[in-house]
Amino acid sequence: MEYIKTFPCKSLDNPRSKRPDTKFWTFEEFKKVISTFNLTDYEDLHRYTVIWVYYMTGVRVSEGFSLIWSDCDLENKRLFVHSTLEVFKGGIHHRKEHTKTDAGIRFIDLDDETVKVLNRWRKVQISNSDDDYILSKFGSPMVKSTLTRMLKRHAKLAEVPEITGKGLRHSHDSFMINVLGKDVLSVSQRSGRIDKATTLNTYSHFYNANKQTIGSEITDLLQKEGVISTPR
């Protein structure tokens, strides 16, 4: 309102607080969850596709809701993330052509199995034109409450921890780090984070927990090359 010309608090850093503990699924738990679906049932196939896509891409919840088929290049195996979905009261939704951060606008490489999952879903999806939402069941976009109920239901069936949509994103990052052994930069770029420091602060415990192999790799190399601590 311009009553004052300067705001001194802007020169202060935000107070540091403990990051919330977001539950996630390990790869073994994810395998248990996907075994709980009946893929011959339309609604179950929809739920399966939603959970698979989120786990294997790491997109934010609102980014996934806003994906339309023209964003998905199945031939070249990539997903173009460049929008988010905003939902208002009364079921009104708006697809915004921007993401949470500038780094959020990105291409995500898809694996062959995810391409098969998406192809199978599009063949039977009721509204599946280029302008239709990928994760839609009957044409309208998904909402968070639906995703939450879906995750809760199948977590109970699989007897694994209950997680949220954000937990699915953490699950993907855990998969990238602990299973694929990817570095901070790769995870940051795929997840659409503005810098790798954010990723490192969030997942430093994953990297610390990883088995350290550099020492053994150096040992193998030195033995192979005949370089020993006491030269001949």
Side-chain angles (χ1 to χ4, degrees):
M1 298 177 70
E2 298 185 354
Y3 289 154
I4 57 175
K5 298 299 181 183
T6 60
F7 183 48
C9 293
K10 284 187 175 180
S11 62
L12 300 175
D13 291 332
N14 290 329
R16 290 184 176 273
S17 59
K18 185 179 180 181
R19 288 183 175 274
D21 183 20
T22 303
K23 293 182 180 180
F24 64 92
W25 288 336
T26 64
F27 187 49
E28 293 302 317
E29 290 168 339
F30 169 72
K31 290 191 289 184
K32 291 180 181 179
V33 171
I34 61 175
S35 68
T36 63
F37 295 92
N38 174 13
L39 301 188
T40 63
D41 178 83
Y42 180 78
E43 294 199 12
D44 239 18
L45 179 59
H46 170 251
R47 299 184 191 106
Y48 175 88
T49 303
V50 169
I51 290 178
W52 181 287
V53 168
Y54 273 114
Y55 190 94
M56 290 300 174
T57 63
V59 294
R60 296 179 176 91
V61 172
S62 59
E63 292 173 347
F65 289 165
S66 72
L67 289 171
I68 58 178
W69 283 110
S70 60
D71 296 328
C72 187
D73 185 353
L74 295 178
E75 184 177 350
N76 293 307
K77 304 177 185 176
R78 64 180 186 177
L79 198 63
F80 182 35
V81 180
H82 61 102
S83 62
T84 55
L85 192 75
E86 189 173 7
V87 181
F88 305 96
K89 290 184 178 180
I92 300 172
H93 59 269
H94 172 62
R95 189 169 183 261
K96 300 186 295 185
E97 289 294 328
H98 61 80
T99 56
K100 183 177 179 181
T101 64
D102 291 339
I105 300 176
R106 64 203 186 276
F107 285 97
I108 296 178
D109 292 333
L110 301 177
D111 61 275
D112 290 347
E113 294 305 314
T114 299
V115 170
K116 291 177 184 178
V117 167
L118 288 168
N119 267 320
R120 177 175 55 200
W121 171 240
R122 189 169 190 182
K123 286 178 182 178
V124 300
Q125 189 185 23
I126 289 176
S127 299
N128 60 3
S129 66
D130 284 349
D131 293 330
D132 285 320
Y133 293 101
I134 294 175
L135 301 183
S136 169
K137 185 167 55 175
F138 297 121
S140 300
M142 284 190 68
V143 293
K144 287 185 179 180
S145 59
T146 302
L147 178 61
T148 300
R149 287 196 303 271
M150 182 188 305
L151 293 170
K152 184 176 181 179
R153 174 185 178 185
H154 287 276
K156 286 184 176 180
L157 290 173
E159 297 182 343
V160 299
E162 294 180 11
I163 65 172
T164 62
K166 187 177 181 180
L168 270 178
R169 179 168 163 84
H170 280 246
S171 299
H172 174 75
D173 291 339
S174 169
F175 174 70
M176 291 274 290
I177 297 168
N178 294 319
V179 180
L180 300 183
K182 294 301 178 182
D183 56 69
V184 178
L185 183 59
S186 299
V187 176
S188 297
Q189 290 174 340
R190 186 173 178 86
S191 298
R193 291 188 175 86
I194 197 165
D195 57 32
K196 60 184 180 182
T198 304
T199 302
L200 189 58
N201 289 337
T202 305
Y203 300 112
S204 58
H205 58 292
F206 285 168
Y207 286 103
N208 292 336
N210 279 349
K211 183 179 179 181
Q212 299 298 319
T213 61
I214 295 177
S216 59
E217 289 174 7
I218 293 174
T219 299
D220 293 340
L221 175 64
L222 295 181
Q223 290 178 350
K224 180 181 177 181
E225 297 295 328
V227 179
I228 57 178
S229 57
T230 307
R232 294 185 180 87

